[in-house]
Amino acid sequence: MAASLVLGACGSEEVSVSTGDPTYHGAVLFSQRCSRCHTLTPAGTQGSANRNVRTQGPNLDQRVESFHDVIFAIRNGGFSGAIMPQNVVTGHEALEVAQFVSKYAGSTAQTTAQPPGGGSP
């Protein structure tokens, strides 16, 4: 039993989302189910630290995700060629995780400068 507690903590720290945040339960679920492969600081996860390993998912601190894209990835095991397990969370829990991820993903994404006028010549 002690070994399972230690293994369950791999790739994660503490959820930093306030318990009053409507996405808090989604953060907890993400921390429990997605921490081995994905980094997302508000969930306390650091799973994508070793990008040389094919099974490591995207660093969601650096990647903005829409609610619909997260639901698609959960249901379909990621996107083309991905290794993510299908339906890692289901039903209402999948919706909670998607709401959390879409709210917090991309929190440290670097934005690139856009030319004046939207870039069209």
Side-chain angles (χ1 to χ4, degrees):
M1 184 166 156
S4 66
L5 291 174
V6 171
L7 290 174
C10 291
S12 65
E13 293 175 5
E14 268 187 46
V15 172
S16 63
V17 174
S18 163
T19 56
D21 185 314
T23 65
Y24 174 77
H25 191 245
V28 172
L29 289 168
F30 186 92
S31 179
Q32 293 170 346
R33 309 274 176 86
C34 310
S35 65
R36 289 181 179 231
C37 299
H38 294 284
T39 296
L40 189 51
T41 299
T45 64
Q46 299 177 5
S48 53
N50 185 357
R51 297 302 299 154
N52 294 323
V53 178
R54 186 170 184 264
T55 58
Q56 296 305 292
N59 180 336
L60 296 173
D61 281 341
Q62 300 173 352
R63 180 173 162 161
V64 176
E65 294 292 345
S66 73
F67 175 84
H68 296 289
D69 284 347
V70 176
I71 287 293
F72 180 91
I74 289 170
R75 290 180 178 159
N76 296 290
F79 296 96
S80 178
I83 302 174
M84 186 172 136
Q86 290 180 328
N87 297 312
V88 67
V89 287
T90 59
H92 187 69
E93 289 183 341
L95 299 176
E96 290 179 314
V97 169
Q99 288 169 341
F100 163 71
V101 171
S102 63
K103 179 176 180 178
Y104 288 98
S107 60
T108 63
Q110 298 293 320
T111 56
T112 57
Q114 298 295 317
S120 298

